[in-house]
Amino acid sequence: MSAPESTMDKGAVVAGYDGSEEARKAVRWAAGEAAVRGCGLVVAQVVGFPPVPEAVPGGAWPRPGFLEAGQETAQRHAEAMLGDIAQECRRDWPDLAVSTRLLSGRAADALAGAAENAELLVVGSSGLTALPRLLVGSTADELLHEYHRPIVVVRAGDDPPADGDRKVVVGVDGSETSREAIGFAYDFADRHGCALVALHVWSDLPLEAMAVTPTEHDREIIEERGRPLIDESLAGYRERYPDVRVHRVIAVDRPAHALAEQAEGAALLVVGSHGRGPLRRALLGSVSRAMVHHAPCPVAVVRHHKG
């Protein structure tokens, strides 16, 4: 079930699992996305055990074979959980090809390696588990830095919107990373029949100015400067995805707050992992990390590929 050099994840949607409710919801989200994309689903679980013996209460060292037995127990438990979630996915998506992988090592490294050639990596924003070194909350943060392909973070509280009111929200700041995020958002919206909300946050202002309601003149200036940036960022995508309805939104706000507000009821929020736009307070950057933990819907974080 575990083959480090396997190509079974090539072109698939890979989901990290650790038995927690958040991870279960992430796997189910990944299964639905894999079904829409017409690709396979790989459910990966990372199991580790302390590599250095630790003294047990009373100062005695563990008896010979204790650590090995613990490792075997953890693996058997993980295999059982993987089998259960894979069976659940096969039952609810009978045409979906579902595979499982049992991995070892540091969770972020193992998952990034397993999803090296994947279409998409999906994880929960945090995990709750009694097994050591499984997919835990910090893993999502680490993957934002280490994983080079799109990653979607799903939380247990994320409920899908009604079919008649589906939208995808994407942050726009004029950077190359933002354009990658826009492309991902357009593709997702097209696959799922969603409208696209392109949000540009005019935040190149002192923080204290955010508390002041902009005048009508201020809004006109902001619109005048922001609309060409959005239009330029969306250029080319309208022709490629003619069926996607697009709503342009320009806000004067803190980026994280504006994104979270627009993402209410969204099927997905898409942001870049970092930004290099012309604004001093670029829409993307550390904001992506805040969204992973606080957005009211699943969040896709997209990185820019050079060359």
Side-chain angles (χ1 to χ4, degrees):
M1 183 159 52
S2 60
E5 301 302 324
S6 173
T7 59
M8 64 190 295
D9 64 336
K10 186 175 180 60
V13 173
V14 175
Y17 187 60
D18 69 356
S20 68
E21 181 57 29
E22 290 203 353
R24 176 179 173 273
K25 192 149 190 176
V27 171
R28 292 186 58 82
W29 191 97
E33 184 62 20
V36 170
R37 290 172 177 255
C39 64
L41 171 69
V42 178
V43 186
Q45 182 151 340
V46 184
V47 177
F49 207 71
V52 178
E54 296 178 0
V56 297
W61 289 96
R63 66 181 182 274
F66 174 83
L67 294 178
E68 291 79 3
Q71 180 71 44
E72 291 177 4
T73 299
Q75 288 180 347
R76 285 197 300 271
H77 186 51
E79 288 173 352
M81 289 196 297
L82 277 174
D84 288 344
I85 191 65
Q87 183 177 5
E88 179 180 330
C89 291
R90 293 187 185 107
R91 182 187 67 239
D92 293 343
W93 289 272
D95 296 328
L96 180 64
V98 182
S99 304
T100 60
R101 294 186 70 180
L102 188 61
L103 310 172
S104 61
R106 182 170 165 268
D109 292 339
L111 285 171
E116 176 69 22
N117 299 308
E119 281 281 308
L120 189 64
L121 174 61
V122 182
V123 297
S125 63
S126 64
L128 297 174
T129 176
L131 295 181
R133 294 291 304 280
L134 294 189
L135 186 64
V136 295
S138 61
T139 301
D141 283 334
E142 293 172 8
L143 284 167
L144 294 183
H145 295 286
E146 300 175 14
Y147 187 59
H148 65 284
R149 300 184 66 81
I151 177 172
V152 172
V153 180
V154 180
R155 298 184 306 164
D158 294 338
D159 295 317
D163 289 342
D165 188 29
R166 292 168 60 84
K167 66 179 179 179
V168 176
V169 179
V170 61
V172 179
D173 76 349
S175 67
E176 287 299 321
T177 306
S178 174
R179 283 191 61 83
E180 297 274 357
I182 291 167
F184 184 93
Y186 257 106
D187 183 70
F188 186 93
D190 188 58
R191 291 178 189 273
H192 293 267
C194 299
L196 178 66
V197 176
L199 173 64
H200 173 64
V201 183
W202 186 267
S203 56
D204 196 19
L205 296 170
L207 288 178
E208 60 270 15
M210 294 295 183
V212 180
T213 302
T215 65
E216 191 63 33
H217 178 65
D218 292 333
R219 291 189 182 278
E220 290 177 0
I221 294 176
I222 291 168
E223 286 276 344
E224 181 181 343
R225 294 179 179 178
R227 190 165 294 277
L229 186 147
I230 293 182
D231 289 341
E232 180 180 347
S233 298
L234 301 183
Y237 290 110
R238 290 183 62 184
E239 293 74 20
R240 200 181 313 171
Y241 302 98
D243 296 330
V244 176
R245 293 176 291 116
V246 180
H247 305 286
R248 295 165 173 79
V249 178
I250 299 174
V252 181
D253 201 347
R254 294 175 176 84
H257 182 267
L259 284 166
E261 191 172 67
Q262 285 294 326
E264 282 290 343
L268 186 69
L269 169 64
V270 186
V271 294
S273 60
H274 59 82
R276 291 292 185 269
L279 301 183
R280 178 170 58 85
R281 287 172 57 87
L283 176 62
L284 309 176
S286 60
V287 174
S288 61
R289 187 176 297 105
M291 290 299 92
V292 161
H293 294 288
H294 301 295
C297 68
V299 179
V301 180
V302 181
R303 298 186 68 172
H304 172 56
H305 294 283
K306 297 182 180 180

